[in-house]
Amino acid sequence: SEVMSLVNSMTLNPEDLRGVGVQMSKLKEASPAISNTTNVNKKSVKQKNAPVCKTFQCPVPEFLGHKNPADVKNIIKNWCESPEPYQVDADKVDEYITDLIKYGNISLVKELLRLMRKQLKVREAPEWNAVFNSTLQNVQRQIHALFNGILDVDNL
């Protein structure tokens, strides 16, 4: 039913949608303190707003000139293996993830967060954990602002 309401909200001919796949991720209800992302309310909420960018109107987000998710994952993986995080790099990652959220690619956002968490678990470096937590807070703020919910991060 959510897919149909999304399709109906678009001003497209049905023929234009031939071959288009739709993937939806379940969001959780936002807690009063968005910054506490590890202890969230388990009640799910429905998406109230469509993504800012619809796939037919906005270009695919780019990260350092790369659009292919595999390339982006490799870049972020290599970044997480570097000796220390630079704020300018963290800002670029946050900007890209924000663009993905606006574009509606929540599944790739979750994949990138999962990748970062996996890479950083091995290191146990406080400065990297701070960068990850900051990125996660940014994601939750963006999800809350656009969809009035928070991303389920229990399975990261």
Side-chain angles (χ1 to χ4, degrees):
S1 64
E2 286 93 0
V3 173
M4 287 308 298
S5 62
L6 176 66
V7 169
N8 291 334
S9 70
M10 296 180 194
T11 55
L12 297 171
N13 294 324
E15 298 85 31
D16 294 337
L17 294 174
R18 184 172 297 134
V20 173
V22 176
Q23 181 177 0
M24 300 184 87
S25 294
K26 192 173 190 177
L27 300 175
K28 291 185 174 187
E29 185 174 332
S31 63
I34 295 299
S35 61
N36 185 4
T37 57
T38 57
N39 187 13
V40 294
N41 190 338
K42 300 288 183 199
K43 184 178 175 185
S44 65
V45 296
K46 294 185 186 242
Q47 179 176 328
K48 295 182 181 175
N49 302 320
V52 173
C53 294
K54 294 179 182 171
T55 56
F56 301 104
Q57 298 174 348
C58 295
V60 174
E62 290 185 20
F63 184 67
L64 303 176
H66 296 274
K67 292 182 182 180
N68 183 328
D71 294 339
V72 172
K73 288 178 192 176
N74 283 332
I75 293 169
I76 290 178
K77 181 181 178 201
N78 290 334
W79 174 60
C80 290
E81 292 172 351
S82 66
E84 67 180 87
Y86 291 106
Q87 189 60 48
V88 67
D89 297 332
D91 291 344
K92 288 286 185 191
V93 170
D94 284 354
E95 181 182 323
Y96 175 69
I97 289 176
T98 297
D99 290 346
L100 285 175
I101 293 168
K102 289 177 182 176
Y103 186 72
N105 195 343
I106 307 302
S107 61
L108 183 54
V109 170
K110 286 182 84 168
E111 285 180 46
L112 293 175
L113 290 172
R114 196 173 294 121
L115 172 71
M116 289 175 68
R117 167 84 45 106
K118 180 181 175 185
Q119 293 297 312
L120 301 179
K121 272 187 177 180
V122 178
R123 302 188 66 170
E124 297 182 20
E127 62 275 3
W128 278 103
N129 289 332
V131 167
F132 177 79
N133 290 333
S134 173
T135 298
L136 187 56
Q137 285 180 338
N138 179 53
V139 166
Q140 298 296 24
R141 276 192 302 273
Q142 295 297 323
I143 295 284
H144 184 262
L146 291 173
F147 305 110
N148 197 28
I150 58 174
L151 191 65
D152 179 3
V153 296
D154 292 339
N155 299 323
L156 287 182

